[in-house]
Amino acid sequence: MSLQTLSEWLRCPNCFLPLSPAGPLTLRCGAGHSFDANKRGYVSLVSGGARRLLGDSTAMVDARALFLATGWYKPLRERLAARVAAENPTRVLDVGCGTGYYLQGVLTRSPDVCALGMDLSPVAVARTVSGRDNIDGLVADVWSPLPVRDASADVILNVFAPRNASEFHRVLRKDGILVVVVPQATHLQELRAAGLALDVPPNKGDHLSETLSPAFELETRDLLSSSLRLDPAQASALIGMGPSAHHTDAEAVAQQLSGLQTVTAAFELLGYRRIPA
């Protein structure tokens, strides 16, 4: 991260004026609002009210890194990176970046892209930007007006994360694309049957298309499904890295798992084209 490249993404969360470097680790807008950037490579622009929201904990981020390192979700990452590369983007915003696993896949395929990883969890953003000069980091709440400039991204990534249709529309450039990954109804069905994972609403992709209309039009839809053979540590990490971790006890989960687990992984990869206002 450099303060200059970071500032080129951002606007003030208070007055919405552009932010600019104003010192070694300070960003300031024309109205005089200033914000300190973190030495680890990111800035937090979360409002006071949003701080009560629950971001991913260190344990959840560690579990995600452990599970993703196994390579089970690599086919999804490669398909996502190929979909983004087809747009020939120069600027990509990852909303809900987590550990940066999918964003790093995009940058491997499209190395000249400038990227911004955004998440409510400072732990996640720190993990995303660590050792990456081509990724800037932002801690922000997706449900609030985003502290991101108008038309600043060619592509928005949204992998298993909340969405703000009106703000995504504003932040994307003309004819930009929103690439979303959501679970299919069969995703983790074995773990859900055992009471170890949260339910997945039926027809999630169809419902998403309705909620994003009329700001976005569904352009591509890919279905991916596979059976995973997970050992107890991998299965525990899979449960611990997602929203189920907020409702389960890690030690209790580990005690229920023994031997190899067969788990279904099933995703929808959806590409939505921005419709002009």
Side-chain angles (χ1 to χ4, degrees):
M1 181 208 82
S2 76
L3 207 60
Q4 180 59 45
T5 59
L6 177 61
S7 69
E8 290 169 359
W9 283 101
L10 302 178
R11 67 177 192 173
C12 177
N14 299 322
C15 63
F16 303 150
L17 291 175
L19 290 175
S20 301
L25 286 173
T26 303
L27 295 171
R28 184 175 293 127
C29 71
H33 302 116
S34 62
F35 307 89
D36 294 331
N38 190 292
K39 290 182 179 180
R40 291 191 289 173
Y42 63 87
V43 64
S44 178
L45 298 179
V46 180
S47 65
R51 287 194 178 98
R52 293 190 296 271
L53 298 174
L54 193 61
D56 288 355
S57 65
T58 300
M60 291 174 68
V61 174
D62 287 343
R64 183 172 293 118
L66 176 64
F67 179 79
L68 293 175
T70 67
W72 286 116
Y73 282 10
K74 186 177 180 180
L76 172 61
R77 180 166 81 160
E78 291 179 345
R79 186 74 67 89
L80 175 67
R83 181 65 188 87
V84 173
E87 297 294 313
N88 295 312
T90 59
R91 297 174 65 81
V92 173
L93 168 61
D94 186 355
V95 177
C97 58
T99 63
Y101 177 77
Y102 298 101
L103 184 55
Q104 290 168 18
V106 166
L107 294 175
T108 298
R109 187 75 177 255
S110 305
D112 295 330
V113 161
C114 296
L116 178 67
M118 173 187 146
D119 204 290
L120 180 61
S121 166
V123 178
V125 175
R127 192 73 59 91
T128 293
V129 302
S130 179
R132 298 278 174 172
D133 293 336
N134 53 351
I135 304 178
D136 292 303
L138 169 66
V139 178
D141 171 27
V142 70
W143 299 117
S144 300
L146 300 183
V148 179
R149 300 187 190 189
D150 295 357
S152 57
D154 302 309
V155 176
I156 293 179
L157 304 183
N158 186 256
V159 183
F160 308 120
R163 291 157 294 276
N164 186 329
S166 60
E167 282 297 280
F168 287 4
H169 189 273
R170 177 186 64 79
V171 166
L172 275 174
R173 292 177 177 172
K174 181 181 178 181
D175 297 328
I177 195 163
L178 168 63
V179 182
V180 182
V181 177
V182 296
Q184 295 187 51
T186 56
H187 185 59
L188 308 187
Q189 60 185 356
E190 298 83 4
L191 297 177
R192 289 190 281 112
L196 297 175
L198 299 180
D199 286 338
V200 176
N203 304 314
K204 192 174 179 70
D206 293 337
H207 178 67
L208 175 61
S209 296
E210 293 175 4
T211 59
L212 291 176
S213 177
F216 294 91
E217 180 180 12
L218 180 62
E219 186 172 275
T220 60
R221 182 183 186 187
D222 295 314
L223 303 179
L224 296 85
S225 182
S226 60
S227 292
L228 316 181
R229 292 285 287 167
L230 307 180
D231 63 33
Q234 293 171 346
S236 181
L238 176 58
I239 296 165
M241 77 183 200
S244 299
H246 294 301
H247 308 277
T248 57
D249 179 80
E251 291 186 5
V253 167
Q255 291 175 3
Q256 293 186 53
L257 299 171
S258 62
L260 292 176
Q261 311 285 323
T262 299
V263 178
T264 300
F267 319 105
E268 289 189 66
L269 175 60
L270 305 161
Y272 293 93
R273 185 69 62 184
R274 182 187 185 275
I275 298 175

